[in-house]
Amino acid sequence: MNHSVSVRLVSALAVIVVLCSYFIGCEAFPPNARPSDPAQPSEPTPSPVQSNGKTIVIDAGHGAPDGGATGKNTGVIESTLNLKVAYLLKAELEMLGYNVVMTRTDDNALAEKKRADMAERLRIMNGSSADMVVSVHMNEFTDSAVNGPMVFYHKNSPEAQKLAKFVIDGLCDSVGRPRRHANSGNYYVIRESTPVAIIAECGFLSNPEEEVRLQDAAYQNLLAKGIAAGIQAYFMSLASPSPTDMQDLSNPNGTPSVSPNTSPAA
């Protein structure tokens, strides 16, 4: 074989090798395809919260056209704040495994007329197989010096009184206030509810300093955490009753019994 033939043969073999490499590459990586990136560590999927079998109705008080109390300096409407705290409370309770039912989920009341609205709330409260009802409100009073959270229970319900004490303790501890006693009342929501029920008054829109605090997202979150902590403590007390659970229910070092804005009460 002469030199020129050898050169042509080697060249031909080289071309064949190149073409084979090309087609093999195309088979491995079709047009517009790229080798996959190195595997990235995936973020762990949060474990679902296990239900504790308890259902709680959260009633965000008022709703358009009934705005409830109004801030004296900023004009903030109670119903808006009630709904914000109610949703924060819902999130806290769901993280603890509770099933939550909301009576109101937007800015509107459940009916245009007050009595029809209250009747619909009662239908939800008593028709949800709930273990508890918590009605969220903001308070007001003629004396602007009065301030701080309050919790009301129906006077004929010892179990609601117990719950109210746990919740007012949780609220006061969460927002850094001295503990106070729970108050009895004869208000529609707590009187007509079949499940044990309380009204959680988060603070007074008639107090200038508290009016500002109640609009602060961080403070609203503290309120929700405090109510949730009280609810959790109440259910824990049912599972492991203690002789001291009811010891401080008549603590005289509380605030005056100021009626909440929860009409109609009759």
Side-chain angles (χ1 to χ4, degrees):
M1 184 182 294
N2 62 34
H3 178 71
S4 61
V5 172
S6 299
V7 170
R8 285 197 296 272
L9 183 58
V10 170
S11 298
L13 290 172
V15 170
I16 292 172
V17 170
V18 170
L19 289 174
C20 288
S21 299
Y22 172 77
F23 286 114
I24 291 172
C26 289
E27 181 69 21
F29 305 110
N32 301 323
R34 294 182 179 180
S36 60
D37 293 332
Q40 299 294 326
S42 58
E43 294 186 5
T45 302
S47 300
V49 177
Q50 184 175 0
S51 172
N52 60 23
K54 303 293 185 183
T55 297
I56 298 177
V57 173
I58 301 177
D59 172 47
H62 303 282
D66 171 25
T70 303
K72 297 299 183 288
N73 293 332
T74 67
V76 65
I77 298 173
E78 177 193 351
S79 59
T80 301
L81 300 180
N82 294 344
L83 190 62
K84 288 181 178 180
V85 174
Y87 267 117
L88 290 170
L89 176 58
K90 177 178 184 290
E92 290 291 328
L93 292 174
E94 287 177 340
M95 286 192 294
L96 293 170
Y98 294 95
N99 175 48
V100 175
V101 176
M102 302 276 283
T103 59
R104 172 167 78 90
T105 57
D106 58 29
D107 290 333
N108 299 311
L110 303 182
E112 290 188 5
K113 299 295 184 181
K114 183 67 177 180
R115 291 194 177 276
D117 170 66
M118 298 300 288
E120 179 61 16
R121 290 173 198 261
L122 188 65
R123 185 192 68 79
I124 295 171
M125 290 157 47
N126 291 347
S128 302
S129 300
D131 298 275
M132 177 189 299
V133 173
V134 179
S135 188
V136 178
H137 286 260
M138 307 291 149
N139 219 333
E140 65 178 353
F141 195 54
T142 52
D143 182 357
S144 62
V146 177
N147 63 91
M150 300 181 71
V151 177
F152 287 82
Y153 61 91
H154 192 259
K155 58 185 179 180
N156 294 334
S157 174
E159 203 60 34
Q161 182 183 12
K162 180 179 179 180
L163 169 62
K165 179 54 184 169
F166 278 115
V167 172
I168 190 60
D169 285 352
L171 272 170
C172 290
D173 291 350
S174 185
V175 300
R177 295 182 62 96
R179 288 185 174 184
R180 52 177 43 164
H181 67 279
N183 293 82
S184 67
N186 189 32
Y187 305 108
Y188 183 88
V189 168
I190 53 178
R191 185 183 70 232
E192 301 300 327
S193 172
T194 300
V196 60
I198 59 170
I199 296 172
E201 294 281 347
C202 296
F204 285 79
L205 292 176
S206 49
N207 178 273
E209 292 79 15
E210 199 154 66
E211 178 184 356
V212 174
R213 283 197 297 272
L214 290 170
Q215 296 177 64
D216 180 74
Y219 190 78
Q220 292 169 358
N221 196 47
L222 289 176
L223 291 167
K225 286 182 179 296
I227 297 172
I231 291 171
Q232 186 78 333
Y234 167 77
F235 280 118
M236 289 177 66
S237 77
L238 298 183
S240 303
S242 167
T244 61
D245 284 343
M246 295 291 288
Q247 183 176 343
D248 197 35
L249 283 176
S250 59
N251 172 20
N253 299 318
T255 59
S257 179
V258 181
S259 299
N261 188 19
T262 55
S263 59

